[in-house]
Amino acid sequence: NAGVMQNPRHLVRRRGQEARLRCSPMKGHSHVYWYRQLPEEGLKFMVYLQKENIIDESGMPKERFSAEFPKEGPSILRIQQVVRGDSAAYFCASSPDRGLWNTIYFGEGSWLTVV
Amino acid sequence: GIQVEQSPPDLILQEGANSTLRCNFSDSVNNLQWFHQNPWGQLINLFYIPSGTKQNGRLSATTVATERYSLLYISSSQTTDSGVYFCAVAPQTGANNLFFGTGTRLTVIP
């Protein structure tokens, strides 16, 4: 029973390139959350998705960031034209339903470094 | 959004010592969780504790929801306890996400 799988674990991008981070939720989980952790800070919510739907993107920067969770395949967080300030750890979490916090599991994170 | 404050921000302990970490939150919650982020960055869910007291080995947690705080107790600390401890809450109404505190960085020295 695999947990939440994120890849890549580490990604280096030059300024202006695109970064794509993938998250496969736990089996049976159809709700995915993305969080960002800047250096020396706590995790900040970015976006909450169900299959094929964005439910809440109130934490997403207005430009360059997008997320999707297609019917088939992993959820993808896409960052276009990366800047140094995008360097952070990006965590994905999944749950079987909304609000079931005792069943939420986090992946091991994807560390993005922009050079 | 809801404010989550943790104290102390940093803590250095000798192996074998006990410690108490605190989490204060600014509004009513229907969820509170404690996480441990180890030095490799992995987030481990320690407790789901919206109220009451739970124990798991050397760790225990207590949440007093009416007074809006939670405590995490670590007894007989070990070097493997090092890392950052986060408290995360979900507000009682309409929450789509967890709000994390800024964490307590614990260093246990042998």
Side-chain angles (χ1 to χ4, degrees):
Chain A
N1 184 19
V4 180
M5 305 299 292
Q6 290 189 245
N7 69 82
R9 290 294 314 281
H10 299 274
L11 183 64
V12 179
R13 284 287 178 265
R14 295 185 183 279
R15 281 179 294 172
Q17 290 185 319
E18 178 179 288
R20 284 192 183 219
L21 310 176
R22 296 174 197 79
C23 169
S24 296
M26 281 188 73
K27 187 176 181 180
H29 288 194
S30 58
H31 295 242
V32 165
Y33 312 79
W34 284 94
Y35 288 79
R36 177 166 66 174
Q37 184 180 28
L38 295 171
E40 306 300 321
E41 295 188 12
L43 280 71
K44 296 279 173 40
F45 168 75
M46 299 181 76
V47 62
Y48 162 44
L49 311 102
Q50 293 179 43
K51 284 283 189 181
E52 300 184 277
N53 286 303
I54 296 175
I55 306 302
D56 182 348
E57 55 181 350
S58 57
M60 286 277 271
K62 297 297 180 210
E63 297 177 347
R64 302 185 298 107
F65 285 72
S66 63
E68 63 176 6
F69 189 15
K71 186 176 180 181
E72 302 291 337
S75 175
I76 295 178
L77 180 68
R78 181 183 180 203
I79 311 172
Q80 295 178 285
Q81 299 176 323
V82 296
V83 300
R84 289 232 171 98
D86 297 333
S87 295
Y90 292 83
F91 287 91
C92 170
S94 73
S95 67
D97 204 345
R98 178 187 174 187
L100 297 183
W101 304 113
N102 59 326
T103 58
I104 192 169
Y105 291 90
F106 280 81
E108 296 188 339
S110 290
W111 267 257
L112 172 65
T113 302
V114 180
V115 296
Chain B
I2 192 169
Q3 304 299 311
V4 184
E5 295 182 353
Q6 291 185 243
S7 60
D10 293 280
L11 187 58
I12 300 175
L13 295 177
Q14 199 77 39
E15 198 169 23
N18 303 328
S19 62
T20 301
L21 282 57
R22 187 177 179 102
C23 171
N24 293 331
F25 42 95
S26 61
D27 207 344
S28 300
V29 300
N30 65 4
N31 174 52
L32 188 142
Q33 292 174 263
W34 283 96
F35 293 88
H36 174 218
Q37 187 170 38
N38 65 23
W40 295 270
Q42 292 175 307
L43 271 175
I44 311 297
N45 194 339
L46 297 175
F47 291 103
Y48 167 75
I49 186 163
S51 64
T53 297
K54 289 185 178 179
Q55 178 149 12
N56 184 2
R58 296 181 296 103
L59 302 182
S60 64
T62 294
T63 296
V64 184
T66 53
E67 296 187 23
R68 299 182 183 172
Y69 74 89
S70 182
L71 302 173
L72 178 69
Y73 306 97
I74 304 174
S75 63
S76 304
S77 57
Q78 300 176 358
T79 56
T80 51
D81 295 331
S82 296
V84 184
Y85 290 80
F86 289 106
C87 166
V89 303
Q92 227 166 35
T93 55
N96 285 323
N97 59 283
L98 294 174
F99 289 83
F100 281 76
T102 51
T104 291
R105 181 174 298 278
L106 174 65
T107 303
V108 181
I109 54 178

